[in-house]
Amino acid sequence: MVTPPHTPQSQKSQMLPPDTAVFARHTSQADYRTGDLKLGCIAVLADLGRYLQVPFDCLVKCVGAMPSQQDLPRIRNNLTNKESKILTDDESGLRWTDFTPPAKSKGSEENVFKPLGRIISEILAEVPNRRVSFLANPNGTPLSQRNNTSRPDGYLVLSDKQSEAKMHWFDIAVPFEFKKEQDTESLRDDEQNIIWSLHSIMQEDPCRRFAFVTEPIDFFQNIDGVISLFYALGSASASSTINELGWDPTVERIRDGKKIQYKFTIGDEVFTTTRELATYGADSMVGRGTRVYEATDAGGKKVAIKDSWREVERQSEGEILESILASCAEKLQAEELADAKRYFVGIRLWKDVMIDDTPDVTLDPLVGEEHNRSWKWVSIDLQPILSARPHLPSAGNIPDSGRLSAFLPTQLGGIARNDTGIPRRVHTRTVFNDVGVAVKDVTSLADNLTCLSDGLKALYYMHKAGWIHRDFSVGNVIWVGGIGKLGDFEYAKKIDSQTSHDVRTGTIHFMAVEVERQKYLFRPPTSYVRPVGRKPDTSLPSRPPFRMNFLHDIESVWWAFTWIFFYHTDTNTTDANHSLDAQWEKFQLAFPGTVGSPLRQEFFSIIGDLQTVCDDVLSETCRDVGGCIPHFAGALQHGYRKAEAKYPLLALDDTLLNDIHRQAAEYLDGAQQRATGIELCPLPDLLKPKRPRPREETSPSPKRKPRHG
């Protein structure tokens, strides 16, 4: 006789809210990192999805002083009477003297829009103490630290930079795009090019806080509006800090020889950067925009600085780590607490950024609807030319192997995601005492695995104290003086937390498969089926919403452990049967970088196939060290089945916690003991493929040498 499962009554009354949904950013995919301009633009637009379009008259009010009722006629009169005679006012009405509607011209866009540069320059000349100038250079590519080959049609630049032979993206104050036609395709192209230019500026420049995207402006029907717009932009630049154009007065760019560094003011202290540690968080226009630098304080002490934008409802990373340590002090023995502190990064201070004594918080998206109905959300219409082949990621960042072409529809609105809007964010900075090397960049396999093992120890103490990390990866554990330290606590929370936040974004390489799928996958098959026509039995337990637990954190350690062996090979391998191409192919299947890939789940779940893959594609040296990968996965699956055996009740007790941590530590420690003397090399450095030149790239094709008879 089959009986339905039973849950005590108290279990239903203590139901916790569901965990955070999963959403992977397109800018973490391989297509974005190939350097292919078109694919990179598609990824940025796909992440953004929509934007708040600001009417130009609202922009004028936001960024600077509008010309007064007395100033506007004066400026108009000056533009009419100057020797340059920018404006003509006769029986035909007010019009630009030399600038005619471009659609009527047969010349090139570059020549057609030349008079426009003179118009903008003369309007800016009416602004006292302006600090920007207009440059039109549609054939010049701004300098970039990220191999960006795009080029705006024109831009406002800081006046002290206008004489330089080459502009850098961070010298550009406002980019512009011009089109002869006003059809839908031309407007869409301008829109996407403007967004890409703003992305390039914000990505390159930590001194920039925000940017506006305006509606198109008609130069011929709204001459007073054009004058007001550029007068306001010039007025904003004339202020002492030019905050209104998006610059951050708490960051200063300096030159250290040929290198560019930054001075960050955090509270009452000033820190000078010495090198970038991680800036790929700024690749997306949606998210925290995290940048991490090595820096020194006024006394020369080395620190690490993290600059990011957290959601306003979340605690700062410093506050979260304080809470974790407080829980550890409450629940751990004194010896355990002292040991736990060794494996957490040390935070020196954290502060929210203040601009003019006001917290630096992003605009409330509802303001456009509540206070000014002319502000509107604009959905981005994507009609991409998708990549038809996989690309190798560029060096320098955690690699990805997913392709936009695998899951990106032609209309962004078709992307399935739990998108509740763009959250408000507050600008925050954290200073860390510990500066080291991320485990992903440690080339000694023994040190690499020791670092990973120490990260597992940090997780153990967190779990014993009632916390889960929720974002363990090879970028979040650093090697400091022979010890691995766990960092990045922004997403950590108590296991019994009642809070649930909006969409979480980030790489999914190290995410547990249950977290990716947002369901419990290892529960026993349902044995009770309600007869047809019978109403649901309200005495039965409700299906609990999915929530992360300590098993998922440990599975993330397994994915990091596996990533080390599949993304690298040993530098001394002489195995003639070892195929780098075959290993890279399996890496792409295991780490596709897309949410919901069935191959990724199969890679983890089918132990026999996993054993075969390890035997077939890893070098003999790496097999000897990482041969426990399938056994580690099997232990995790056993733990999942034990925890979910009485689903919907979950048995996540201390016995299971201690047992699974003990097994995971044994696998890592055993591998570390076999890894002595082995150096790692990333597969892409060995494969070095020559990427074919896509037709759609904007950089000119190499000139062919003439044939000689």
Side-chain angles (χ1 to χ4, degrees):
M1 179 177 180
V2 177
T3 58
H6 175 67
T7 303
Q9 190 67 30
S10 60
Q11 184 73 17
K12 293 181 69 175
S13 62
Q14 297 177 3
M15 190 77 72
L16 295 172
D19 217 340
T20 307
V22 177
F23 176 60
R25 290 197 294 258
H26 299 88
T27 44
S28 67
Q29 311 301 322
D31 276 357
Y32 176 80
R33 305 204 182 282
T34 60
D36 186 310
L37 181 61
K38 183 66 70 173
L39 296 179
C41 184
I42 292 170
V44 168
L45 295 170
D47 273 352
L48 186 59
R50 59 177 182 162
Y51 62 91
L52 195 60
Q53 187 181 83
V54 184
F56 78 90
D57 57 336
C58 295
L59 175 68
V60 166
K61 296 175 184 177
C62 289
V63 303
M66 287 185 64
S68 66
Q69 293 296 324
Q70 295 76 28
D71 284 339
L72 187 57
R74 175 185 59 78
I75 296 171
R76 193 190 309 125
N77 186 60
N78 289 346
L79 296 176
T80 304
N81 296 328
K82 277 187 174 182
E83 290 183 8
S84 54
K85 201 171 179 60
I86 297 299
L87 280 175
T88 296
D89 191 1
D90 55 21
E91 62 276 2
S92 300
L94 190 66
R95 68 183 189 278
W96 306 113
T97 303
D98 297 327
F99 189 36
T100 57
K104 299 179 180 179
S105 174
K106 296 181 179 180
S108 66
E109 283 191 352
E110 181 178 359
N111 291 327
V112 168
F113 286 105
K114 271 186 178 178
L116 186 58
R118 196 159 59 94
I119 292 171
I120 296 173
S121 297
E122 291 293 344
I123 297 173
L124 291 174
E126 296 293 325
V127 181
N129 304 317
R130 69 192 181 283
R131 293 172 60 191
V132 292
S133 301
F134 179 78
L135 289 180
N137 191 12
N139 295 320
T141 302
L143 296 173
S144 170
Q145 294 175 303
R146 297 189 179 228
N147 300 318
N148 184 356
T149 59
S150 62
R151 40 188 181 250
D153 289 334
Y155 32 78
L156 295 184
V157 299
L158 299 178
S159 296
D160 58 346
K161 303 291 183 180
Q162 64 177 326
S163 60
E164 295 189 6
K166 292 282 285 185
M167 291 294 118
H168 197 290
W169 275 105
F170 51 57
D171 296 323
I172 298 176
V174 182
F176 297 95
E177 292 291 331
F178 309 121
K179 281 288 184 294
K180 291 173 63 176
E181 306 295 337
Q182 295 190 39
D183 55 87
T184 302
E185 183 178 352
S186 297
L187 291 175
R188 182 172 60 241
D189 186 56
D190 269 353
E191 170 197 63
Q192 296 181 2
N193 288 340
I194 282 289
I195 291 173
W196 176 257
S197 291
L198 293 176
H199 161 72
S200 300
I201 293 170
M202 304 291 285
Q203 178 194 47
E204 297 262 355
D205 192 2
C207 299
R208 301 296 279 275
R209 298 157 44 232
F210 64 84
F212 290 105
V213 180
T214 68
E215 64 183 359
I217 181 173
D218 192 320
F219 261 72
F220 301 97
Q221 299 298 321
N222 193 356
I223 290 177
D224 281 352
V226 171
I227 295 173
S228 298
L229 173 62
F230 286 98
Y231 186 92
L233 292 174
S235 298
S237 74
S239 65
S240 59
T241 57
I242 58 175
N243 301 345
E244 293 85 355
L245 289 180
W247 267 277
D248 187 340
T250 67
V251 185
E252 178 188 357
R253 184 181 299 105
I254 59 175
R255 286 193 176 273
D256 181 11
K258 293 183 178 180
K259 292 185 178 180
I260 295 172
Q261 303 295 355
Y262 297 91
K263 285 187 176 182
F264 285 88
T265 300
I266 305 175
D268 297 327
E269 298 189 64
V270 176
F271 301 87
T272 304
T273 65
T274 53
R275 65 186 177 102
E276 290 183 355
L277 296 178
T279 59
Y280 49 82
D283 287 344
S284 178
M285 296 184 79
V286 177
R288 297 190 169 203
T290 301
R291 293 179 168 95
V292 185
Y293 298 91
E294 180 184 277
T296 56
D297 63 12
K301 178 177 171 53
K302 188 180 293 185
V303 297
I305 293 176
K306 177 186 285 187
D307 180 89
S308 64
W309 294 77
R310 76 172 190 275
E311 294 88 338
V312 291
E313 72 273 8
R314 290 186 187 266
Q315 288 182 305
S316 68
E317 185 173 4
E319 291 172 316
I320 293 172
L321 183 55
E322 270 194 344
S323 298
I324 292 172
L325 292 173
S327 296
C328 288
E330 179 183 343
K331 297 185 178 182
L332 302 181
Q333 300 296 324
E335 298 81 4
E336 290 180 315
L337 177 61
D339 196 42
K341 291 180 178 179
R342 296 176 63 224
Y343 301 114
F344 295 141
V345 295
I347 295 183
R348 172 168 164 173
L349 67 95
W350 63 91
K351 295 282 186 180
D352 289 344
V353 176
M354 304 291 287
I355 305 295
D356 297 331
D357 299 323
T358 303
D360 195 13
V361 181
T362 59
L363 176 72
D364 186 348
L366 295 178
V367 167
E369 298 176 12
E370 293 176 355
H371 301 292
N372 193 323
R373 296 289 177 179
S374 58
W375 291 51
K376 63 179 180 180
W377 286 106
V378 177
S379 295
I380 297 173
D381 178 18
L382 278 181
Q383 295 183 349
I385 304 172
L386 296 176
S387 171
R389 63 192 184 284
H391 296 289
L392 284 175
S394 57
N397 294 318
I398 295 176
D400 226 317
S401 52
R403 291 181 295 162
L404 285 169
S405 51
F407 64 98
L408 182 66
T410 55
Q411 288 286 341
L412 186 67
I415 293 179
R417 62 179 181 179
N418 179 23
D419 190 357
T420 57
I422 299 176
R424 293 194 72 192
R425 298 182 182 274
V426 59
H427 195 182
T428 187
R429 294 194 181 115
T430 309
V431 180
F432 300 90
N433 290 315
D434 296 310
V435 184
V437 181
V439 68
K440 71 183 180 68
D441 298 318
V442 177
T443 58
S444 163
L445 182 55
D447 290 348
N448 199 305
L449 296 178
T450 300
C451 188
L452 203 61
S453 180
D454 290 346
L456 178 66
K457 291 175 184 176
L459 286 180
Y460 174 67
Y461 290 123
M462 283 186 69
H463 294 161
K464 283 196 70 174
W467 286 75
I468 50 177
H469 188 273
R470 301 172 70 235
D471 194 24
F472 189 96
S473 77
V474 295
N476 294 346
V477 187
I478 61 173
W479 186 238
V480 184
I483 298 177
K485 293 179 178 283
L486 181 62
D488 282 3
F489 297 98
E490 292 104 327
Y491 296 110
K493 70 178 183 180
K494 288 187 175 180
I495 294 175
D496 58 357
S497 171
Q498 296 285 341
T499 61
S500 182
H501 298 285
D502 285 339
V503 176
R504 174 167 172 251
T505 61
T507 178
I508 68 159
H509 276 345
F510 314 102
M511 190 177 291
V513 292
E514 285 194 343
V515 177
E516 180 186 355
R517 300 292 297 277
Q518 292 287 288
K519 63 167 64 173
Y520 298 105
L521 301 173
F522 297 92
R523 64 182 189 267
T526 303
S527 56
Y528 172 75
V529 179
R530 187 175 75 248
V532 177
R534 179 179 294 182
K535 294 182 178 181
D537 188 347
T538 56
S539 66
L540 295 179
S542 301
R543 179 177 296 179
F546 179 82
R547 290 177 62 87
M548 280 190 70
N549 56 59
F550 59 79
L551 290 170
H552 300 125
D553 270 350
I554 301 175
E555 186 186 327
S556 292
V557 176
W558 178 86
W559 282 106
F561 180 63
T562 304
W563 180 88
I564 290 169
F565 290 97
F566 275 77
Y567 183 66
H568 300 89
T569 191
D570 61 290
T571 55
N572 297 323
T573 185
T574 57
D575 187 352
N577 296 320
H578 179 224
S579 170
L580 298 179
D581 290 322
Q583 182 177 334
W584 182 252
E585 181 181 351
K586 293 302 181 183
F587 170 82
Q588 291 179 308
L589 294 177
F591 299 91
T594 59
V595 175
S597 168
L599 296 177
R600 183 174 186 270
Q601 181 179 334
E602 292 172 5
F603 180 83
F604 171 75
S605 303
I606 305 176
I607 300 298
D609 290 354
L610 178 57
Q611 181 70 67
T612 301
V613 169
C614 292
D615 292 342
D616 288 347
V617 304
L618 298 182
S619 70
E620 183 177 353
T621 301
C622 287
R623 282 200 306 271
D624 291 342
V625 179
C628 61
I629 289 174
H631 305 284
F632 191 171
L636 279 166
Q637 291 177 40
H638 178 74
Y640 280 126
R641 282 189 284 269
K642 188 173 181 180
E644 300 169 16
K646 295 182 179 180
Y647 180 86
L649 289 177
L650 300 176
L652 298 167
D653 52 31
D654 289 342
T655 301
L656 178 59
L657 187 153
N658 290 322
D659 186 51
I660 194 66
H661 265 286
R662 176 186 56 78
Q663 293 181 72
E666 288 175 354
Y667 289 125
L668 293 182
D669 292 343
Q672 189 274 337
Q673 293 171 14
R674 298 188 295 273
T676 303
I678 300 174
E679 291 291 316
L680 297 175
C681 182
L683 286 185
D685 290 357
L686 298 174
L687 293 171
K688 294 184 184 295
K690 293 183 178 180
R691 183 169 59 89
R693 204 181 164 78
R695 297 179 189 173
E696 63 271 11
E697 278 194 330
T698 59
S699 51
S701 301
K703 296 180 179 179
R704 294 182 179 179
K705 294 182 179 180
R707 294 182 179 179
H708 299 281

